[in-house]
Amino acid sequence: MKRSVVFVHGTGVREEGYNSTLATVRSELHGIRPDWDVRGCLWGPEHGAKFIPGDTPIPGYAATGGGAREDDRDAAIAEWEVLYRDPGYELRLLGLRPAPGQGVVRGAPPGKRFLTTVREYRPSPELLDRLDRHGLRADFTTALDSVAASPEVRDAADTIDQNGYGHRHAFAKAVVAATLAEAQARGADALAGPARDALVRTLSSELSGRSRALPGRVRQAMKNSAMRRATRWTVDRRGALSDTLLPKVGDILRYQARGEGVRRLIRRTVEHAPGDRITLLGHSLGGVACVDLLAMEPLDRVDQLITVGSQAALLYACGALAGLEHPEELPPHFPTAWLNMHDPWDLLSYTAAEVFKDRVYEVEVSSGQPFPLAHSAYWANTEFWSAVGEWLG
């Protein structure tokens, strides 16, 4: 039986922190079971809190002191790190968009044309020559076939509009990311960023007739998602403080108001994960979203849930859990194997065994760190991974 683990990150996490944590989670789980496939579900950039003061003026929140923007180069590096680990990430986001109104369509529908284009595409001599110079032709061929046949491409086709430039550009990035991941796996030297970007431009141009950056919410979310501490604290205390707190507190508030987007992305990631059985591993707010989703609907292959530093029990007890109204019991389709991990020094983690009775197996671990460090110290804690390994076994 083949199993996959889907990791869902918590509040305040954006690309850089997600990449680091996912690498640790993948390494530790492979140490427990090397044959398991470990996937990530990055929801922060698309469905986390975002605020640009100039668009929505707030008295006392000066634009000069708040909203420090991340450098474009740093954002691009973090974006590519996500794509190397999950080439279908941007396509998956596109697949979750509402289907556009097509109006009168001449010839084949846009989605069918898109699928035909990517599945029948053959690289030009120019692109093949470029790939040969980098020693990537075989890796590219494998990646092209894999991405073209992926469920992410199939779902993205349902949301394409008449021009489809953004979808084809996202496909090009997915293929190049998968190509370079294949090359890295066999020990090849890494390709420099400009050479990588040239491959994307060439492939995107050949697919669509012209190269164009990914438009709309997907690209905008990548650029504007990471909010960091303002450096000029004395210029505007309120704006800087808001920028510091927004990713953490704002994510929680936004999820409570519009959590369906996070849950849809988790569901789609599970649908695309391989294997006969799936374990959901959710940290903090990610664990809350997993509990909500599994309480709302059955996910056939998900038979295990691990929540880490989660507030699910607290939200349920005060009537704020979206997926289950207190005092209703968990539905029969909810996974019978649920492990909840908490640290008594982590003020954002709550025990769940007494709240959900016999539906949860509770384990307490301590990282030796005070709050708030304790909330993110689980992944480096050998006691934590030992307990996870014992439970999974």
Side-chain angles (χ1 to χ4, degrees):
M1 181 185 71
K2 175 70 174 178
R3 177 175 294 277
S4 289
V5 179
V6 173
F7 169 66
V8 185
H9 68 79
T11 181
V13 175
R14 298 298 185 263
E15 291 96 336
E16 184 176 356
Y18 164 83
N19 287 323
S20 176
T21 302
L22 179 60
T24 300
V25 169
R26 180 175 281 125
S27 175
E28 293 291 346
L29 285 173
H30 283 168
I32 297 171
R33 289 294 299 266
D35 58 321
W36 285 1
D37 191 292
V38 181
R39 299 289 178 96
C41 180
L42 174 59
W43 56 264
E46 180 74 1
H47 299 291
K50 294 180 284 288
F51 171 57
I52 303 174
D55 291 352
T56 309
I58 295 178
Y61 195 122
T64 56
R69 293 181 179 272
E70 189 178 34
D71 181 80
D72 284 350
R73 181 180 299 178
D74 293 341
I77 290 173
E79 175 188 343
W80 274 104
E81 189 171 2
V82 172
L83 287 169
Y84 291 144
R85 298 180 184 278
D86 184 6
Y89 171 65
E90 287 190 1
L91 289 167
R92 190 176 305 121
L93 293 181
L94 288 172
L96 289 170
R97 285 183 172 184
Q102 301 295 346
V104 178
V105 178
R106 295 182 179 179
K112 185 174 182 180
R113 293 202 304 269
F114 171 68
L115 291 176
T116 300
T117 297
V118 300
R119 290 172 179 173
E120 296 183 357
Y121 167 76
R122 295 296 179 269
S124 67
E126 175 194 351
L127 182 53
L128 289 176
D129 180 64
R130 191 187 298 266
L131 292 167
D132 287 339
R133 290 202 303 270
H134 298 304
L136 295 173
R137 183 189 283 220
D139 302 304
F140 179 87
T141 300
T142 301
L144 178 63
D145 292 342
S146 175
V147 175
S150 69
E152 286 87 350
V153 166
R154 179 198 64 218
D155 292 340
D158 293 336
T159 69
I160 197 168
D161 56 18
Q162 285 291 345
N163 61 56
Y165 294 123
H167 284 62
R168 285 188 284 269
H169 191 78
F171 176 83
K173 291 174 70 176
V175 172
V176 171
T179 297
L180 299 185
E182 287 276 345
Q184 183 184 38
R186 62 175 174 82
D189 292 335
L191 199 63
R196 174 203 62 210
D197 296 342
L199 287 177
V200 173
R201 286 193 300 270
T202 302
L203 176 54
S204 181
S205 178
E206 292 184 2
L207 287 168
S208 63
R210 52 176 165 161
S211 180
R212 180 173 170 177
L214 182 63
R217 293 186 305 158
V218 177
R219 184 65 185 176
Q220 196 65 28
M222 289 292 184
K223 286 188 175 181
N224 295 335
S225 62
M227 306 290 287
R228 59 193 181 187
R229 186 184 302 274
T231 57
R232 300 180 61 190
W233 172 251
T234 56
V235 175
D236 189 337
R237 290 176 180 269
R238 187 175 184 183
L241 178 61
S242 297
D243 285 348
T244 302
L245 295 177
L246 181 65
K248 297 179 175 62
V249 178
D251 281 359
I252 297 172
L253 297 175
R254 193 175 194 275
Y255 176 77
Q256 290 299 99
R258 296 179 178 84
E260 65 276 3
V262 178
R263 294 190 291 270
R264 282 204 320 269
L265 185 56
I266 296 173
R267 185 195 309 113
R268 188 60 54 85
T269 305
V270 166
E271 291 171 354
H272 292 168
D276 307 296
R277 294 289 182 266
I278 293 174
T279 300
L280 271 180
L281 170 60
H283 177 233
S284 187
L285 185 59
V288 172
C290 290
V291 172
D292 278 336
L293 176 60
L294 293 171
M296 289 176 172
E297 59 185 274
L299 298 183
D300 294 338
R301 292 184 295 153
V302 177
D303 64 339
Q304 292 181 341
L305 170 65
I306 303 175
T307 50
V308 182
S310 173
Q311 307 85 45
L314 173 69
L315 295 178
Y316 170 73
C318 64
L321 192 66
L324 191 67
E325 178 72 22
H326 187 276
E328 294 177 358
E329 297 183 352
L330 290 170
H333 66 254
F334 197 92
T336 56
W338 178 7
L339 170 65
N340 185 62
M341 309 282 287
H342 75 277
D343 184 332
W345 289 99
D346 174 11
L347 302 184
L348 292 177
S349 71
Y350 293 84
T351 61
E354 291 300 318
V355 176
F356 294 104
K357 305 304 178 185
D358 58 347
R359 301 296 296 270
V360 189
Y361 181 69
E362 193 80 38
V363 174
E364 177 183 304
V365 295
S366 176
S367 65
Q369 291 281 17
F371 183 79
L373 296 177
H375 191 56
S376 59
Y378 296 95
W379 318 118
N381 187 352
T382 56
E383 180 187 0
F384 168 83
W385 287 112
S386 177
V388 170
E390 181 178 350
W391 184 80
L392 289 172

